[in-house]
Amino acid sequence: MHGIIIDRVMLSASSTSALSQTELRSKVSRYLELLSSAGKRDPDELALLAREYLRKIVEGPDSRFSGC
């Protein structure tokens, strides 16, 4: 199940990331495992959370909230 979600999320990944697609995929996979272990099961919610996590990895934290 996570493979399908990871595929959905990776389609939205920016190609300008310093990390390789393999590294990003691995990070998203570990994040989904963490969410699942915390009781998250809805595939749409998992995809949304994973997309946001991926965005933070690729783009960095939102400067409006990071104090920069």
Side-chain angles (χ1 to χ4, degrees):
M1 167 89 118
H2 287 178
I4 295 169
I5 295 171
I6 292 170
D7 291 341
R8 284 174 51 189
V9 170
M10 294 307 295
L11 287 174
S12 67
S14 171
S15 61
T16 60
S17 173
L19 297 172
S20 73
Q21 290 292 314
T22 304
E23 290 172 305
L24 290 173
R25 192 176 202 51
S26 177
K27 286 180 178 284
V28 170
S29 177
R30 285 192 306 266
Y31 184 66
L32 286 171
E33 288 174 21
L34 177 67
L35 291 173
S36 292
S37 71
K40 299 285 185 189
R41 299 281 184 252
D42 179 50
D44 292 328
E45 181 182 18
L46 288 170
L48 178 69
L49 293 169
R51 261 191 223 106
E52 183 59 22
Y53 176 71
L54 181 61
R55 186 193 63 77
K56 287 179 183 177
I57 292 171
V58 172
E59 297 175 11
D62 189 332
S63 64
R64 295 176 295 171
F65 303 109
S66 66
C68 295

